[in-house]
Amino acid sequence: MQRSNDIDSARAYCVRLAQQIRASGLGEASWKAAFHREPPSLADSTEQQIADLLESNPRAQARLAALVQYPPGKWLLEQELAARGDWPPPNGIHKDVYQVAQELDLQGICFSGGGIRSATFNLGVLQGLASLDKLKCFDYLSTVSGGGYIHQFLASWIHCEDRAKVQEQLSPIPGPPSTRTVWPDPLRWLRRYSNYLTPQVGLFSADTWVAFSIWLRNTFLNQIVLVSTLLLVLLLPHFHVVSNGRTAQFFLQHGGVAALIVLAGFAVASCVIFFTQLKSPPMDHCHPSKERGFGQPGVLGCVFLPILIAVFVFSPYLYRSSFWSGVDLPNRKNPCPVAIVNWPASTGPVPSSSRLFISHLHMLGPAIDPEYCSHPATRL
């Protein structure tokens, strides 16, 4: 049901935007520039066809909405005023919806997010407005996150009692203007259960460990995307598409060349950033047309690309550092030491110490029949 309502709203906005485009006298060139591909002529298209194009091209819809100054928020305000019976204007008078809202002197208040800290602060704002008898002056309340927590508390309280009584109980004590000596039950309940994420506190409580598990899960899921992307970049030199690891092997054998490339990459990026800021310092926001940025191609080519090359060259050393250093392991007599391991002539960037480590692991294993070892089929 909710999905159907969202689709109906999106369609209704596109139809209204098509009417605004037609009424604004938008030029044919501006109309075509908003689309990635050549659209039908604006003059030959009906409002229904324009709405269909807008609904199937969200980017073009956003560009055209900016050109005719009819964003979705403006359409939403029209729907709100229509629900109040104040839109469209009577007697066919042409007025902008923002002008109508201003004439109606509608007031709203917004509460930001921030968890229980934001909810606590917003409760203090409500109490301050209540003490000044200003709570009744607002028509709308918009909240998010922690602000939504106090929003639902207030909405539920007003729903159970009238707004005047809620305002009287919200006034801070001791007065004036409040004559109460104890806090009302809703406020005491709110403070008693303010720890809503982990109601049962304590290191060994189930709520604490559930909250920790949720945090650990969400952190892992968010970070695994970034870590996987970085690891992909670091593993590029070891793919078989780069001559079976020869590129990484070259950098490992020529540490001086690799160090120069890494230092040059970071030096180029640092110098570009430094001299760009030195030559073109940030302008004031009153004259944005005078600001001269480096541009996206310049940043990608002169900052990002050198750093990417430096990381590419340095990654074989990070890769190799994860292997065993080559310290001898306890030896054990074995009739078939490492004969079952048929090492290739070249293993790319894998250091010889790793092969020695695997050999020692085989030597630590149980004794093997010599005939088994000498059989060609047993060699890997």
Side-chain angles (χ1 to χ4, degrees):
M1 186 65 181
Q2 181 65 34
R3 173 70 175 173
S4 176
N5 292 338
D6 293 341
I7 295 176
D8 293 342
S9 298
R11 178 64 185 181
Y13 169 69
C14 290
V15 172
R16 187 75 176 97
L17 179 57
Q19 297 173 356
Q20 293 293 320
I21 293 173
R22 182 69 75 188
S24 66
L26 186 70
E28 195 71 30
S30 300
W31 164 258
K32 292 182 178 180
F35 291 86
H36 181 66
R37 297 181 179 178
E38 185 75 12
S41 173
L42 178 61
D44 299 335
S45 301
T46 64
E47 289 185 358
Q48 188 72 17
Q49 292 173 333
I50 295 174
D52 293 337
L53 281 173
L54 295 174
E55 192 173 8
S56 60
N57 294 272
R59 292 188 176 181
Q61 179 189 132
R63 296 190 186 103
L64 293 170
L67 288 175
V68 301
Q69 299 183 4
Y70 191 77
K74 196 170 186 178
W75 174 82
L76 189 61
L77 181 58
E78 289 180 352
Q79 307 310 304
E80 173 62 25
L81 294 183
R84 293 171 55 96
D86 298 317
W87 183 264
N91 303 325
I93 301 175
H94 179 71
K95 283 186 177 181
D96 189 80
V97 67
Y98 292 140
Q99 181 182 357
V100 175
Q102 184 179 15
E103 292 174 354
L104 292 173
D105 195 26
L106 299 176
Q107 304 291 331
I109 185 172
C110 302
F111 288 158
S112 64
I116 196 62
R117 295 166 296 179
S118 173
T120 304
F121 175 82
N122 294 330
L123 176 59
V125 172
L126 289 176
Q127 289 183 294
L129 293 172
S131 65
L132 297 174
D133 196 25
K134 297 293 185 181
L135 199 60
K136 60 184 179 182
C137 300
F138 294 96
D139 301 284
Y140 298 97
L141 178 60
S142 178
T143 60
V144 63
S145 190
Y149 180 72
I150 205 67
H151 178 181
Q152 294 305 313
F153 160 76
L154 180 64
S156 176
W157 196 1
I158 293 177
H159 179 74
C160 297
E161 305 181 34
D162 60 275
R163 185 169 58 179
K165 189 173 181 180
V166 170
Q167 178 170 281
E168 187 274 328
Q169 295 181 81
L170 268 176
S171 297
I173 59 174
S178 176
T179 58
R180 305 176 64 91
T181 58
V182 294
W183 292 108
D185 290 340
L187 279 180
R188 285 190 283 128
W189 184 92
L190 178 68
R191 288 166 178 164
R192 187 181 304 118
Y193 296 100
S194 60
N195 196 24
Y196 56 92
L197 292 178
T198 55
Q200 188 176 357
V201 297
L203 179 61
F204 299 101
S205 67
D207 291 339
T208 299
W209 284 100
V210 167
F212 175 74
S213 302
I214 294 174
W215 174 85
L216 190 63
R217 178 201 63 186
N218 294 342
T219 302
F220 177 77
L221 291 177
N222 282 287
Q223 296 300 322
I224 195 173
V225 178
L226 300 176
V227 174
S228 300
T229 304
L230 293 175
L231 289 178
L232 175 62
V233 175
L234 295 177
L235 288 175
L236 284 177
H238 314 292
F239 287 164
H240 286 280
V241 296
V242 285
S243 303
N244 198 19
R246 294 177 184 175
T247 303
Q249 189 67 31
F250 172 81
F251 289 128
L252 289 171
Q253 294 175 353
H254 301 81
V257 176
L260 287 176
I261 295 177
V262 171
L263 292 176
F266 283 99
V268 168
S270 301
C271 290
V272 167
I273 296 173
F274 176 77
F275 287 109
T276 301
Q277 294 297 320
L278 188 65
K279 183 179 179 180
S280 303
M283 301 291 182
D284 60 279
H285 295 288
C286 299
H287 305 87
S289 60
K290 297 182 180 180
E291 294 188 6
R292 299 189 302 272
F294 199 64
Q296 181 173 340
V299 172
L300 293 177
C302 300
V303 178
F304 177 74
L305 184 59
I307 294 178
L308 182 63
I309 294 175
V311 173
F312 179 85
V313 173
F314 186 64
S315 60
Y317 292 90
L318 297 177
Y319 178 77
R320 186 169 184 172
S321 65
S322 63
F323 288 92
W324 173 60
S325 60
V327 179
D328 290 338
L329 292 177
N331 200 347
R332 178 178 176 180
K333 293 182 179 181
N334 195 321
C336 182
V338 284
I340 61 172
V341 181
N342 186 18
W343 291 107
S346 175
T347 54
V350 179
S352 57
S353 60
S354 298
R355 286 177 281 181
L356 182 61
F357 176 71
I358 297 176
S359 301
H360 276 290
L361 290 180
H362 282 283
M363 295 169 66
L364 291 173
I368 302 177
D369 187 359
E371 295 183 2
Y372 176 81
C373 297
S374 60
H375 196 281
T378 62
R379 298 177 180 270
L380 297 180

